[in-house]
Amino acid sequence: MSRSSSVSSDHIPDISDFDPEKWTIKFVNEGAANLVFEVKLPPSAPSTTGSYSKGNHDIFQGNLLRVPKAGAKTFPYPELQQYWESTITPLFPLDNLVQHQLVKLGHSPSAVVDLLNNVLIKEESGRRKDFRGTRVLPDAQYGMLIEDMRSRNPNDLFLESKPKWLSPSPSARTRCRNCAREAYRDHLDPSHHKAHRLGILCPLDFIACRDSPESLSNVLKHILPASSPPTYRPHLTNWLKTNSLLPLLQKAQSEHDPSSGVDLELAMTLRDCSLFLRISSPEGGSGEVKIEAKLADLDKKNATKKKHHWEELERNLVEGGFYDGKETPREETDCLLERGKRK
Ligand SMILES: Nc1ncnc2c1ncn2[C@@H]1O[C@H](COP(=O)(O)OP(=O)(O)OP(=O)(O)O)[C@@H](O)[C@H]1O
Ligand SMILES: [Mg+2]
Ligand SMILES: [Zn+2]
């Protein structure tokens, strides 16, 4: 029996039962492998039919719909869900993980998939250039309902970041793994660095910012949009200096190092997740500001397919001198390790 079939399909709601043609769908965002939409049911939606709506419950309320992209070579959603439940949830407190559940998209050809694709076609100009033209996986059977982390009201602020490698990898001397890879990217394509107006954040700053004002200001510069009101700054600063989530992620990463070769899947998953922060400040400035911090995009990686690529990249980083800052020509990075050596 394949692992994916071990997710029981009995309890998985089928969202195509719920008059998809009456939905209001908005494209939210996308990554390389997944598309995220907001679905709103009409106010008059029948609330007595369909398994999803038992007890007048609208399952899209507070959730977004995530679906796989065509062409992305990732695992089927039931396998992602199963992996997340069995391997990821034991590692972090429940309220530090963006919750998700499987939903069925109806029989293929799925009306839901067609509707989502129509939204993509309409929104094409607002999508990232290199993603335009990509559609939902045509025979996708499953989607995920994911806890919506966006702002709930105009005073809220939603931030997202990829913490990447929070500790220097064993090969790192002058640069951490992330900055070594960025230097390598610049080396291959000099326009890469220029595309990042603010430079590239060294992930080690996420942990160092507890004690180092320089690291703190780096992190704030990168994750807080210049346009956001200054009121959020002290709260975010306090969170960055005191949170237990990033040290926990760092610990999980060091317990699962790719070079150990033990669980490459998990090692990669823990280094590619996203951090979502929602800072809520009550209307009128009264009351306490709340910060919700959750990890998302903890999808099982296909280690078998990626192993060769990963090892080759690692070899290029070591042999090309990118960990040591000895590549020619020399690339500029803002790695915490490199800054320390310059002083
Ligand atoms: N729970 C959520 N709440 C709010 N926005 C979200 C949520 N999940 C995803 N998004 C938005 O959708 C984008 C893409 O989502 P996701 O990370 O699932 O895609 P991906 O293809 O796995 O990305 P990557 O290429 O980084 O692996 C996110 O960067 C974020 O902007
Ligand atoms: Mg992903
Ligand atoms: Zn670095």
Side-chain angles (χ1 to χ4, degrees):
M1 197 168 88
S2 80
R3 243 182 127 178
S4 55
S5 58
S6 62
V7 172
S8 157
S9 65
D10 302 348
H11 313 292
I12 305 174
D14 187 335
I15 56 173
S16 73
D17 291 343
F18 207 15
D19 296 335
E21 59 289 345
K22 294 189 183 146
W23 298 351
T24 307
I25 308 173
K26 247 174 59 188
F27 169 66
V28 173
N29 210 343
E30 65 192 308
N34 303 281
L35 292 150
V36 176
F37 297 89
E38 177 197 86
V39 176
K40 285 218 165 93
L41 301 176
S44 59
S47 50
T48 48
T49 54
S51 55
Y52 46 81
S53 60
K54 285 226 174 80
N56 280 343
H57 173 61
D58 169 2
I59 61 172
F60 292 112
Q61 184 70 49
N63 288 314
L64 296 170
L65 178 62
R66 185 188 200 219
V67 291
K69 262 189 188 179
K73 294 180 187 71
T74 46
F75 291 114
Y77 273 21
E79 205 163 335
L80 298 185
Q81 182 73 25
Q82 164 88 28
Y83 184 77
W84 182 80
E85 284 172 15
S86 63
T87 307
I88 302 297
T89 57
L91 300 178
F92 302 98
L94 196 69
D95 60 359
N96 284 139
L97 291 173
V98 170
Q99 300 296 306
H100 46 81
Q101 70 169 96
L102 280 181
V103 289
K104 290 184 195 151
L105 301 175
H107 292 290
S108 186
S110 156
V112 173
V113 171
D114 288 346
L115 287 166
L116 299 177
N117 279 333
N118 288 340
V119 172
L120 290 178
I121 292 166
K122 276 197 227 121
E123 302 270 326
E124 208 75 87
S125 61
R127 298 176 67 190
R128 225 176 85 172
K129 266 203 186 119
D130 49 339
F131 288 154
R132 286 180 199 160
T134 50
R135 301 284 175 257
V136 181
L137 180 70
D139 52 359
Q141 294 176 42
Y142 294 95
M144 268 178 200
L145 281 184
I146 52 174
E147 188 184 354
D148 188 355
M149 285 295 289
R150 296 172 307 163
S151 306
R152 289 209 183 102
N153 69 59
N155 277 339
D156 291 357
L157 183 67
F158 167 62
L159 303 175
E160 62 173 299
S161 179
K162 288 237 180 217
K164 296 283 180 188
W165 296 53
L166 291 169
S167 302
S169 71
S171 332
R173 280 173 288 263
T174 300
R175 290 193 192 117
C176 74
R177 166 59 164 64
N178 195 66
C179 295
R181 179 165 170 262
E182 293 298 339
Y184 182 54
R185 283 184 164 177
D186 289 339
H187 175 81
L188 297 177
D189 171 12
S191 69
H192 170 70
H193 202 95
K194 291 191 200 99
H196 293 261
R197 204 173 36 87
L198 293 170
I200 284 157
L201 176 65
C202 174
L204 305 183
D205 281 330
F206 272 117
I207 302 292
C209 67
R210 300 175 161 257
D211 307 308
S212 152
E214 186 183 19
S215 290
L216 178 65
S217 111
N218 263 350
V219 176
L220 288 169
K221 182 178 87 178
H222 277 89
I223 70 171
L224 201 58
S227 59
S228 58
T231 43
Y232 298 109
R233 223 180 140 86
H235 302 287
L236 187 57
T237 296
N238 182 49
W239 185 84
L240 286 167
K241 293 177 90 147
T242 58
N243 79 86
S244 49
L245 179 58
L246 291 174
L248 191 59
L249 177 61
Q250 182 194 35
K251 178 169 161 276
Q253 287 182 353
S254 35
E255 284 166 3
H256 303 277
D257 193 90
S259 61
S260 76
V262 176
D263 189 346
L264 194 55
E265 246 161 38
L266 183 55
M268 287 176 159
T269 297
L270 293 170
R271 285 161 174 82
D272 196 39
C273 65
S274 300
L275 169 69
F276 290 162
L277 295 171
R278 179 167 47 204
I279 313 181
S280 316
S281 48
E283 213 79 43
S286 60
E288 218 174 300
V289 173
K290 193 169 95 185
I291 299 197
E292 291 160 278
K294 304 196 188 212
L295 301 178
D297 196 10
L298 280 152
D299 293 337
K300 178 185 182 181
K301 300 285 171 199
N302 195 331
T304 322
K305 276 197 186 146
K306 294 198 170 179
K307 194 168 190 292
H308 175 73
H309 168 76
W310 192 82
E311 285 169 351
E312 194 174 77
L313 175 60
E314 205 54 25
R315 201 165 43 244
N316 287 336
L317 296 182
V318 173
E319 289 172 6
F322 293 95
Y323 274 120
D324 296 330
K326 295 221 164 94
E327 70 283 343
T328 32
R330 182 91 154 83
E331 304 290 347
E332 271 299 304
T333 76
D334 194 30
C335 188
L336 177 74
L337 301 181
E338 207 169 358
R339 291 202 308 260
K341 294 210 166 177
R342 278 202 296 265
K343 277 178 188 152

